[in-house]
Amino acid sequence: MRPTYSTEAIKQLHEGLESVHPKYTKLLMAYHAWAYGNPLAEVMARQGYCRRLRILVHCVQTAFATIPPASNVIPSDEPRSVCTICLQAFVLNVFGCMDNLAQIWVKERGIKRSNGKEIPPLLMGLGAKCEDVRESLSRDFQDYLDSSLMKGWFAYLEDYRHALAHRIPLYIPPHAVGQSNAAAYNELENRMREARHRLDMDEHDRLEAEQLQLCSFLPVATHAWDETTRPILFHSQMLADYETVVDLGWRMLRELDPSTSAAR
């Protein structure tokens, strides 16, 4: 059974993995060095955004170590459970990073709604519905958030986050069955069911091992299979999401201080 990723893709994934912690360290130092004028903004930066960044780093590193992208074996329930927990924590904290960045900006700059009232917590983020926050940002930042790339990313993130929090948790399937093996797989499933009815567990286990030979593992995650959401390749998606969170972190620092270096 071959790995899902090509040799070149695996190389790129590991290069991305190696850059995760250095990027975190540099951004952490930048946020801790910023001279905050508002204590709540400082809390949201140091105890919110930066703490979440560290969680993201841990989730990425653990997922890669537990189910390596170059693996060609079907993982057992334990590593799949570990990766599933990492994915769930990762998605929630990516979403939280967006809120923390908005909170830093709003508190540090004293941003309010057009009617002069405080921005409510549910509208203090970077998503499209957070109009008061977005309109207070520079035109360059607004255009970036409104780009087709970012619109797609926010839509994906909100779908997975809302499913996780309110509907169906993220899930890594134990294995996949190709179309050419589907009939044989189903036949073995029927024979396993009959063996269970006879309480012949030795035969059941033999058939299950035979059935597993027809399967492969795909490092994908989704929530409800009967919904329209496209499964994601979780190694590459975690790296892409992390890069986006880091990029937005630097963009927010430059929003606070345009002299902030763009070099990362």
Side-chain angles (χ1 to χ4, degrees), residues 236-247:
S236 53
Q237 189 66 54
M238 290 175 84
L239 287 178
D241 291 348
Y242 179 78
E243 287 287 335
T244 301
V245 171
V246 168
D247 179 60

Side-chain angles (χ1 to χ4, degrees), residues 12-259:
Q12 293 175 355
L13 287 171
H14 282 291
E15 289 174 351
L17 176 64
E18 291 174 0
S19 72
V20 164
H21 196 275
K23 289 180 178 179
Y24 158 73
T25 301
K26 189 168 185 178
L27 193 53
L28 177 74
M29 293 175 64
Y31 269 89
H32 277 263
W34 170 256
Y36 297 92
N38 182 285
L40 287 178
E42 184 172 4
V43 168
M44 292 301 171
R46 296 186 177 186
Q47 299 181 37
Y49 179 67
C50 291
R51 189 178 293 173
R52 290 184 191 278
L53 274 180
R54 182 65 188 92
I55 293 172
L56 298 186
V57 171
H58 178 74
C59 288
V60 172
Q61 292 174 334
T62 302
F64 271 70
T66 305
I67 300 181
S71 176
N72 61 356
V73 300
I74 297 176
S76 64
D77 288 345
E78 179 64 22
R80 280 198 309 112
S81 295
V82 170
C83 275
T84 298
I85 292 168
C86 286
L87 276 169
Q88 293 180 1
F90 185 87
V91 168
L92 286 175
N93 281 285
V94 167
F95 202 90
C97 280
M98 302 301 99
D99 290 353
N100 286 151
L101 289 174
Q103 291 158 351
I104 294 166
W105 171 252
V106 168
K107 299 301 181 183
E108 190 70 5
R109 289 290 180 261
I111 306 299
K112 297 185 185 298
R113 308 197 75 174
S114 57
N115 60 10
K117 294 183 178 181
E118 299 290 333
I119 299 175
L122 290 178
L123 295 178
M124 202 179 299
L126 296 179
K129 70 177 183 180
C130 303
E131 296 177 355
D132 294 296
V133 177
R134 283 203 175 193
E135 290 174 2
S136 68
L137 297 167
S138 66
R139 173 49 56 187
D140 180 65
F141 205 167
Q142 289 185 53
D143 289 344
Y144 174 71
L145 293 175
D146 200 41
S147 65
S148 58
L149 177 66
M150 290 304 293
K151 282 182 177 179
W153 185 75
F154 275 113
Y156 137 76
L157 181 62
E158 289 174 359
D159 175 53
Y160 271 77
R161 184 269 175 190
H162 292 334
L164 175 58
H166 305 296
R167 303 195 311 276
I168 306 295
L170 299 184
Y171 169 74
I172 299 175
H175 52 251
V177 183
Q179 190 63 39
S180 61
N181 291 330
Y185 182 94
N186 291 332
E187 173 61 22
L188 287 168
E189 188 69 32
N190 292 332
R191 292 169 61 186
M192 289 164 58
R193 187 180 302 110
E194 294 171 357
R196 288 196 297 271
H197 288 164
R198 299 193 307 268
L199 300 181
D200 188 350
M201 297 313 295
D202 288 339
E203 176 67 1
H204 174 277
D205 292 347
R206 186 191 69 77
L207 292 169
E208 186 177 43
E210 185 178 343
Q211 188 187 53
L212 199 60
Q213 296 302 309
L214 303 174
C215 303
S216 59
F217 176 73
L218 297 177
V220 300
T222 187
H223 41 81
W225 288 104
D226 57 349
E227 296 188 11
T228 58
T229 300
R230 177 179 57 86
I232 57 172
L233 288 165
F234 63 80
H235 294 101
S236 53
Q237 189 66 54
M238 290 175 84
L239 287 178
D241 291 348
Y242 179 78
E243 287 287 335
T244 301
V245 171
V246 168
D247 179 60
L248 286 168
W250 284 110
R251 286 176 183 271
M252 184 57 74
L253 274 179
R254 290 198 297 275
E255 198 75 2
L256 291 165
D257 181 3
S259 67

